[in-house]
Amino acid sequence: MSAAPEGYDPHAFEPFAVTVDLAVFTVRASRLHVLLVERGAEPYRGHWALPGGFLLPRESAGEAARRELAEETGLSDGTVSGLHLEQLRTYSDPDRDPRMRVVSVAHTALVPDLPEPRGGGDAAGARWWDADRTGPLAFDHDRILADARERVGAKLEYTCLATAFCPPHFTLGELQQVYETVWGVELDRPNFRRKVLATPGFVRPAEGAPRRTGGRGKPAALYRAGDATTLHPPLLRPEGREK
């Protein structure tokens, strides 16, 4: 490590800590779920919170995020290393942590179903929670959770991520259900179908796959994920149509 520049006194500045927090979502039983841990130490001992913790001296925020996620949930290093974590934003309100001045770099991810987590490190427990039924969280994690939900909702507008939560062969109704689950809105079925089929590379007909039957209507055609990764044009959320 190089010496401090001449005239610079690091002790002239109040020290503060840097942490990471993670909002990891998945879709389970047609509901949006978020991964939470039960805090095993003060402050907020016994309260539920987003996974996270302090950066070590020689690691980046991304490295700390994956390490803390593995330590606090018991997910394997291989599982955690394969997740696409996206940096959400930085939270720096002076009083957000009662211990000292703490700045948090929050990350988020929307992933297909992961294994059941278990508590580890300084977490007494870990589990998937219905994202609409978490109750008050520790620190400012309710705010981080709300911001993260908005971010993953936007990802469905501009990317093909929703197909990852469907079976290899799926109906457009199943795809629509993913959007409705994450967005928390009810979509118009004919309009959704028209937009999906008009978006290049979003879905492809599942050649040779039998049509899926159910209910009284005619059998539904099956599709598979297309080759596109981004949506052009985007599939925008309708306003004012909460479920």
Side-chain angles (χ1 to χ4, degrees):
M1 181 179 297
S2 60
E6 184 178 354
Y8 171 72
D9 180 10
H11 300 290
F13 300 91
E14 182 179 350
F16 65 91
V18 179
T19 62
V20 290
D21 291 303
L22 300 104
V24 180
F25 298 95
T26 195
V27 176
R28 287 187 154 201
S30 301
R31 299 284 298 178
L32 185 66
H33 284 66
V34 62
L35 185 59
L36 298 179
V37 297
E38 182 183 5
R39 288 189 55 79
E42 296 293 350
Y44 298 104
R45 182 172 185 169
H47 288 69
W48 289 89
L50 298 173
F54 290 90
L55 265 71
L56 298 178
R58 301 297 296 170
E59 68 181 353
S60 68
E63 291 168 342
R66 295 183 188 279
R67 174 183 56 78
E68 286 287 349
L69 185 59
E71 289 178 359
E72 292 199 341
T73 65
L75 297 174
S76 70
D77 290 337
T79 297
V80 170
S81 64
L83 298 182
H84 175 69
L85 296 178
E86 180 177 337
Q87 194 170 119
L88 176 62
R89 57 169 294 185
T90 300
Y91 296 83
S92 57
D93 290 349
D95 299 321
R96 60 179 304 274
D97 192 309
R99 292 168 290 190
M100 62 180 297
R101 181 74 187 272
V102 176
V103 174
S104 180
V105 182
H107 296 70
T108 190
L110 178 62
V111 298
D113 204 8
L114 292 175
E116 289 295 335
R118 62 182 187 278
D122 58 1
R127 56 171 280 200
W128 291 103
W129 280 76
D130 187 317
D132 290 322
R133 300 170 184 171
T134 59
L137 301 179
F139 303 104
D140 56 353
H141 290 186
D142 290 302
R143 178 186 175 192
I144 298 175
L145 177 58
D147 291 346
R149 289 190 67 168
E150 180 61 28
R151 173 67 63 86
V152 299
K155 286 188 71 70
L156 262 62
E157 292 183 320
Y158 295 95
T159 75
C160 302
L161 180 61
T163 58
F165 296 87
C166 295
H169 294 161
F170 52 86
T171 67
L172 294 185
E174 290 171 326
L175 181 63
Q176 179 176 331
Q177 188 173 60
V178 174
Y179 277 90
E180 291 181 336
T181 297
V182 175
W183 286 350
V185 299
E186 186 175 349
L187 301 176
D188 179 75
R189 183 174 179 179
N191 191 43
F192 178 82
R193 177 184 177 88
R194 176 182 59 80
K195 289 182 177 180
V196 168
L197 295 181
T199 303
F202 191 4
V203 298
R204 303 288 188 196
E207 299 175 2
R211 288 173 172 251
R212 187 166 298 161
T213 59
R216 299 181 179 181
K218 65 179 182 180
L222 294 179
Y223 296 84
R224 59 178 176 83
D227 299 327
T229 56
T230 57
L231 300 180
H232 300 288
L235 188 62
L236 301 179
R237 280 171 284 189
E239 298 294 335
R241 296 190 60 189
E242 293 186 3
K243 295 176 73 174

